[in-house]
Amino acid sequence: MRTQYCGHLNKSLAGQTVELCGWVNRRRDLGGLIFIDMRDREGIVQVVVDPDMKDVFEIANQLRNEFCIRLTGEVRVRPESQVNKDMATGEVEILATGLEIINRSDVLPLDFNQKNTEEQRLKYRYLDLRRPEMSDRIKLRAKASSFVRRFLDSNDFLDIETPVLTKATPEGARDYLVPSRVHKGSFYALPQSPQLFKQLLMMSGFDRYYQIVKCFRDEDLRADRQPEFTQIDIETSFMSAEQVRGVTERMITEMWQELLNVDLGTFPIMPFEEAMRRYGSDKPDLRNPLELVDVADILKDVDFKVFSGPANDEKGRVAVIRVPGGAKLTRKQIDEYTKFVGIYGAKGLAWMKVNDREAGFEGVQSPVAKFLNEEVVAQLLDRTQAESGDIILFGADKKRIVEEAMGALRLKLGTDLELTDTNAWAPLWVVDFPMFEEDDEGNLHAMHHPFTSPLGVSPEELKANPAATNSNAYDMVINGYEVGGGSVRIHNAEMQSAVFDLLGIDAEEQQLKFGFLLDALKFGTPPHAGLAFGLDRLVMLLCGTENIRDVIAFPKTTAAACLLTDAPSLANPAALEELAIAVNLAKEESAEQE
């Protein structure tokens, strides 16, 4: 039906007759002539309808926005004075010689020239995707997927599919369960990742595997999370962590070069401990110059328990952020930042304005200054390298609270005060994560997942001091987003059992949930390592948006619902009966009323 895309037309086709299919982006009637901006997925071109072409002109008079049309016409070069430099096809136009209305359009529920609510955009997603901005994002996603396949294929990786209906395994979130009709009362789980299957593929001898695969996690959502997401899954045998990082870093740098013409350079490597100490985050945004500075040693003996308490607590932390030029912040703004850190559990936000650095104690203004002497203030100013016009913001509490609150405050200040260089790219690797994290009850949980190998210890040494053991894991971070994470895997049954023991998974449960893996580890398992990228997050960064839903064709809301199809929905009672499932909504409604 078409010979060219609208967006591909240029001067080289001058004089040629073309056939186009697409939508009316805009129609203008200038009395003697009708101009149509015609759009398809590749772009927009201007069409001119001359009244001398009576049949065509009559049809053109009927056109309205988003009518689906087919057009025949001659490519003409525009006069220099009429070239539209804002359009890729702005040097040419089409003189219409034939026009057909394929389908008319009702008045649109979306206004393409105004800002629609996200609910409207998701409900009428098929219309929203017609917008050039959205179309470009989906096309860039397709190019990114194509690049990944070409890169990995050329590096001897094999694309191998793994099951979607599988067994529930602990990977950090709740599983989506699928009932079995054949095995009544039993359930499959949709995979949170292909983790165990890709390890089994390594045991099968396929030493370089990849897959662009759907994964599912039933967890609380946010702007960069979805219940179903796409993962670039990579696993290798006989490669070290450094080699895995090397090949995947090269894939990302070449992707950025090809798709954006951006050179990301060589990625710096930062230990987890340093990232948390300096930035309060294991995915630091290095475009932001602000850092956390530890000052507990300076404040241990001050007569102010808000500071001295955490300063003398081995599980506490006192850290500050020096904000250049921050003395201009008003009391109202400081109060707003105090409320902000309260979201993360902080009980307050002490501050100190440096009005005159040379004046020392006399040159600072702070509600906590009365608790500090001249020597302490001098040490704080020296430690933070504060200058006149700066403000110092204090975080003092349990270590986790300080890191979460001050880390988030650092990012907010960077945005609010325009300190973050939004035109830069700042990739890095974060390595040497703790093997475990401890909850408030003292239980251990795997920092990554329970199949991650500890770094440089035997099973006995791991059990003797699990809290002091790091894992051989690594995350790739770009502009404050974790875009990929991986690790060297455990490749022997003894170490795997030791990790399960520490996680409180007893021998019986190990066999019940992971018996197939523990058995497989006994038969010449090769050392193996891998990494998984979030394709959605990568494309989000490539497109320059901060919402993952912008780069997914049909995304869910933050309530994990599809407004387009009204999913999830109630199941047919007959289908539930066949599956031996009873739904008790009355109990849930009663609980909500209480």
Side-chain angles (χ1 to χ4, degrees):
M1 294 180 72
R2 62 154 63 101
T3 59
Q4 267 91 19
Y5 282 109
C6 295
H8 290 172
L9 299 175
N10 55 51
K11 289 196 297 185
S12 69
L13 298 170
Q16 294 187 27
T17 297
V18 296
E19 296 179 13
L20 308 174
C21 294
W23 289 266
V24 176
N25 195 66
R26 188 168 62 138
R27 173 186 171 276
R28 290 162 288 152
D29 189 341
L30 302 185
L33 296 172
I34 292 177
F35 290 89
I36 304 163
D37 287 347
M38 186 174 177
R39 184 192 74 243
D40 59 23
R41 77 171 209 193
E42 295 300 314
I44 298 175
V45 68
Q46 178 174 282
V47 177
V48 181
V49 185
D50 194 302
D52 291 342
M53 302 289 295
K54 291 185 179 178
D55 292 344
V56 177
F57 197 83
E58 184 179 332
I59 296 172
N61 257 323
Q62 304 173 41
L63 297 182
R64 297 294 181 269
N65 285 2
E66 298 309 307
F67 275 33
C68 184
I69 61 175
R70 181 171 180 240
L71 182 136
T72 303
E74 179 188 341
V75 180
R76 302 194 310 189
V77 176
R78 291 198 204 185
E80 188 66 34
S81 60
Q82 296 178 19
V83 170
N84 185 342
K85 295 181 180 178
D86 295 328
M87 289 174 61
T89 60
E91 293 183 317
V92 297
E93 63 186 12
I94 308 300
L95 177 63
T97 56
L99 179 61
E100 173 191 351
I101 297 176
I102 297 175
N103 228 326
R104 296 171 182 269
S105 173
D106 288 346
V107 176
L108 297 179
L110 296 181
D111 185 343
F112 284 6
N113 297 313
Q114 301 293 330
K115 187 173 183 180
N116 301 287
T117 66
E118 188 165 42
E119 287 75 16
Q120 288 174 301
R121 292 177 55 208
L122 293 178
K123 183 172 179 60
Y124 299 100
R125 190 62 164 185
Y126 47 89
L127 295 177
D128 188 45
L129 289 174
R130 288 185 191 175
R131 294 191 299 120
E133 180 183 31
M134 290 300 297
S135 177
D136 288 345
R137 288 168 178 167
I138 299 301
K139 287 190 294 181
L140 185 57
R141 181 188 178 106
K143 290 177 181 177
S145 296
S146 175
F147 174 86
V148 167
R149 293 188 187 281
R150 285 186 282 113
F151 179 90
L152 293 173
D153 288 344
S154 68
N155 281 274
D156 299 326
F157 285 83
L158 300 176
D159 183 356
I160 305 176
E161 294 180 349
T162 53
V164 173
L165 296 176
T166 182
K167 188 173 184 177
T169 56
E171 292 197 40
R174 291 178 293 272
D175 291 305
Y176 280 101
L177 300 177
V178 179
S180 169
R181 179 186 59 81
V182 178
H183 306 281
K184 286 184 169 55
S186 296
F187 295 81
Y188 300 101
L190 299 182
Q192 294 186 35
S193 80
Q195 181 61 48
L196 295 184
F197 287 106
K198 64 187 177 187
Q199 289 190 242
L200 292 170
L201 285 170
M202 296 302 103
M203 300 170 196
S204 304
F206 299 103
D207 63 333
R208 291 195 175 198
Y209 141 95
Y210 84 93
Q211 187 181 185
I212 299 180
V213 60
K214 279 287 186 186
C215 300
F216 307 87
R217 294 188 179 185
D218 185 4
E219 60 187 348
D220 295 333
L221 304 183
R222 60 191 186 201
D224 64 338
R225 275 185 182 166
Q226 281 280 290
E228 53 179 316
F229 56 96
T230 306
Q231 190 163 288
I232 304 168
D233 207 43
I234 299 170
E235 196 77 9
T236 69
S237 296
F238 308 112
M239 287 180 70
S240 66
E242 292 76 18
Q243 289 171 318
V244 172
R245 292 202 301 268
V247 71
T248 52
E249 179 178 322
R250 187 158 55 85
M251 183 179 81
I252 296 303
T253 55
E254 290 184 16
M255 179 190 292
W256 251 248
Q257 189 71 59
E258 179 172 312
L259 300 183
L260 297 184
N261 194 28
V262 167
D263 181 4
L264 290 176
T266 301
F267 294 12
I269 299 173
M270 183 179 295
F272 169 86
E273 185 278 329
E274 180 183 349
M276 298 304 294
R277 174 172 51 81
R278 295 174 61 187
Y279 306 107
S281 171
D282 60 359
K283 48 181 184 295
D285 187 349
L286 300 186
R287 300 172 303 163
N288 181 335
L290 301 179
E291 293 192 20
L292 277 64
V293 178
D294 284 310
V295 293
D297 58 316
I298 298 174
L299 299 171
K300 275 187 174 184
D301 300 321
V302 300
D303 190 19
F304 187 46
K305 293 206 177 296
V306 171
F307 287 168
S308 61
N312 288 283
D313 183 351
E314 63 178 15
K315 293 186 177 181
R317 184 177 180 187
V318 185
V320 299
I321 297 175
R322 175 182 72 88
V323 184
K328 64 186 177 187
L329 291 176
T330 65
R331 187 58 189 264
K332 181 182 178 182
Q333 288 174 304
I334 295 172
D335 288 344
E336 288 172 355
Y337 287 127
T338 302
K339 290 179 184 177
F340 176 78
V341 296
I343 297 170
Y344 301 89
K347 301 179 185 68
L349 183 66
W351 53 272
M352 178 184 291
K353 290 186 177 182
V354 184
N355 296 323
D356 183 355
R357 175 68 173 87
E358 297 303 317
F361 184 82
E362 299 300 324
V364 302
Q365 172 192 353
S366 171
V368 299
K370 59 187 175 183
F371 302 109
L372 311 176
N373 58 41
E374 291 188 21
E375 182 182 356
V376 167
V377 169
Q379 290 178 18
L380 287 171
L381 296 178
D382 287 343
R383 177 76 55 86
T384 59
Q385 298 182 326
E387 298 177 0
S388 298
D390 295 349
I391 191 171
I392 299 171
L393 302 172
F394 294 78
D397 211 309
K398 295 294 184 185
K399 185 172 183 288
R400 178 184 58 80
I401 292 175
V402 169
E403 289 170 349
E404 290 183 2
M406 299 299 279
L409 178 61
R410 170 183 174 268
L411 295 178
K412 184 167 178 58
L413 288 165
T415 299
D416 292 352
L417 304 181
E418 298 182 348
L419 299 172
T420 300
D421 184 357
T422 55
N423 295 316
W425 292 99
L428 78 153
W429 288 104
V430 178
V431 300
D432 296 345
F433 289 81
M435 185 72 183
F436 303 102
E437 43 189 355
E438 189 176 313
D439 63 22
D440 293 337
E441 285 74 45
N443 300 313
L444 295 179
H445 300 275
M447 177 74 86
H448 273 67
H449 54 64
F451 317 107
T452 299
S453 177
L455 188 60
V457 296
S458 66
E460 294 75 22
E461 290 169 328
L462 175 66
K463 284 188 170 183
N465 198 358
T469 304
N470 285 336
S471 64
N472 201 351
Y474 34 83
D475 283 356
M476 181 187 289
V477 178
I478 300 178
N479 290 4
Y481 288 97
E482 178 200 328
V483 296
S487 66
V488 173
R489 321 303 187 187
I490 296 170
H491 67 276
N492 70 75
E494 185 184 2
M495 180 64 82
Q496 188 64 76
S497 291
V499 171
F500 286 154
D501 289 342
L502 288 166
L503 294 174
I505 305 173
D506 62 30
E508 184 179 349
E509 190 178 1
Q510 289 178 34
Q511 281 302 316
L512 182 65
K513 291 185 175 179
F514 307 106
F516 64 95
L517 176 68
L518 294 171
D519 287 344
L521 288 170
K522 298 173 184 176
F523 299 108
T525 299
H528 53 285
L531 189 146
F533 288 100
L535 177 62
D536 311 295
R537 283 188 191 172
L538 285 172
V539 178
M540 184 181 76
L541 284 169
L542 288 166
C543 290
T545 179
E546 294 182 350
N547 191 330
I548 205 169
R549 292 186 286 278
D550 287 340
V551 299
I552 298 173
F554 300 103
K556 304 288 191 295
T557 67
T558 52
C562 175
L563 299 182
L564 175 65
T565 63
D566 286 331
S569 58
L570 296 176
N572 185 303
L576 291 175
E577 185 177 354
E578 191 174 14
L579 292 165
I581 292 177
V583 178
N584 190 350
L585 291 176
K587 183 185 290 187
E588 206 154 297
E589 289 170 0
S590 173
E592 286 177 4
Q593 289 170 1
E594 290 175 7

